[in-house]
Amino acid sequence: MRSEVNDIQIHWRESGRGEAVLFIHGFPFHGGQWDDQIDRLPMRWRLLAPDLRGFGRTDLGPGSGPLEMDLFADDLAGFLDALGIERAVVCGLSMGGYIAFALWRWHRERVRALVLCNTRAGADTEEGRAARRAQAGRVEQEGVASLANEMLPKLLSERTRAERPDVVEKVRSMIEATPAQTIVHALDGLADRLDSTELLPTIDVPTLVIGGSEDRITPPSELEFLANAIPDARLKMIEGAGHLTNLEAPAEFNLALVHFLEALGGH
Ligand code: MLT
């Protein structure tokens, strides 16, 4: 499906009816990252997985500057407006979590509850920013396939890489489907993002934090930090999963999500 939001056409996948759950994908993927949730979770929630600006089938729009987390958050607030949804449970993974923090910063009245997966509150270090600039340079010179080869060993646990060739291929194809221009602008936006640590004690909606024991990008200590800093947050650590918990361990991920959503009531 697609809808006109701000200056772009947003594409999204959806299933079910009831209270809205907005899934925000990571970098550099698209809404298809959430297929195991959209297809397998019970139909008693309205599950929405948009492609963010520049990713999947959603266009980049007229601007050519950094893809800031705040811009994605504004797009998503506009997306909820277009669908007539006042508040949604917001579930973001990695960059999706950074965007969930931006939604909390600027549009918190739209957030019914939060699910923060494999993400962190802190901004990039100087070293992290330099690594992103170098990565953008490699993508410009060598193309997106080089990025997939570089990222896969960090994104997925050793077990997933050995036992789940389907997941490896899915992740590779999502990365390769992302235009180089989007990747370069998104790397700029990621490098510029604000530190959200000071927001954590202000989060007063139910929150579930999900991590993977083998995550090398956002290690378990980051998720523990979030769960300790957010009042009353719950933590679910998935053993054996890497950075992409919802793809690597969908059954455990979905069970944790269903328990959390059921405890919210109201559907
Ligand atoms: C992601 O999975 O969204 C990225 O790893 C986020 C990042 O590079 O900080």
Side-chain angles (χ1 to χ4, degrees):
M1 291 193 231
R2 80 192 174 153
S3 170
E4 179 97 27
V5 173
N6 298 338
D7 45 6
I8 53 168
Q9 294 271 342
I10 290 200
H11 284 255
W12 78 96
R13 296 160 177 74
E14 87 164 83
S15 70
R17 268 163 194 272
E19 189 164 346
V21 183
L22 176 66
F23 290 99
I24 315 178
H25 63 78
F27 168 84
F29 312 123
H30 55 64
Q33 179 193 331
W34 300 104
D35 284 349
D36 286 334
Q37 283 64 53
I38 299 290
D39 296 342
R40 290 162 65 171
L41 283 168
M43 301 292 276
R44 54 185 183 275
W45 293 281
R46 186 174 182 191
L47 309 168
L48 301 159
D51 294 341
L52 294 168
R53 181 185 287 263
F55 295 86
R57 291 189 295 152
T58 297
D59 40 296
L60 189 55
S64 60
L67 286 168
E68 306 280 3
M69 302 304 113
D70 294 356
L71 174 63
F72 290 132
D74 288 347
D75 287 345
L76 291 175
F79 174 66
L80 293 178
D81 289 342
L83 270 59
I85 295 169
E86 220 168 289
R87 293 208 308 165
V89 177
V90 173
C91 174
L93 186 141
S94 199
M95 180 177 79
Y98 311 154
I99 298 166
F101 288 131
L103 273 166
W104 184 256
R105 190 185 291 276
W106 303 114
H107 304 279
R108 69 182 60 171
E109 68 289 351
R110 316 302 295 266
V111 181
R112 161 80 174 94
L114 278 171
V115 185
L116 299 167
C117 318
N118 307 84
T119 192
R120 57 159 55 82
D124 276 5
T125 58
E126 252 329 300
E127 200 187 349
R129 288 195 189 99
R132 293 205 197 269
R133 280 194 295 274
Q135 196 169 55
R138 284 195 297 280
V139 168
E140 274 171 331
Q141 293 199 329
E142 295 160 33
V144 176
S146 71
L147 184 70
N149 290 335
E150 185 181 319
M151 288 188 82
L152 274 165
K154 290 188 212 140
L155 288 167
L156 302 173
S157 73
E158 223 176 292
R159 187 170 87 189
T160 304
R161 278 180 285 130
E163 295 174 8
R164 298 289 310 276
D166 54 323
V167 173
V168 176
E169 274 327 296
K170 172 155 188 154
V171 174
R172 181 188 295 284
S173 83
M174 285 194 293
I175 297 174
E176 290 183 356
T178 308
Q181 202 191 3
T182 296
I183 288 175
V184 170
H185 292 319
L187 284 167
D188 277 346
L190 285 163
D192 287 351
R193 77 183 189 281
L194 297 173
D195 190 325
S196 295
T197 311
E198 92 231 345
L199 293 179
L200 302 179
T202 73
I203 296 179
D204 57 0
V205 294
T207 300
L208 172 65
V209 176
I210 300 181
S213 67
E214 309 306 310
D215 186 347
R216 293 169 55 197
I217 297 176
T218 44
S221 57
E222 291 285 355
L223 287 305
E224 282 157 16
F225 175 80
L226 290 183
N228 286 330
I230 299 172
D232 298 327
R234 283 180 238 171
L235 175 65
K236 168 74 186 171
M237 196 56 66
I238 301 184
E239 282 306 312
H243 189 56
L244 301 182
T245 43
N246 75 304
L247 277 158
E248 298 187 58
E252 262 184 273
F253 185 98
N254 287 356
L255 197 61
L257 189 53
V258 164
H259 282 158
F260 178 72
L261 293 174
E262 268 169 0
L264 294 176
H267 53 262

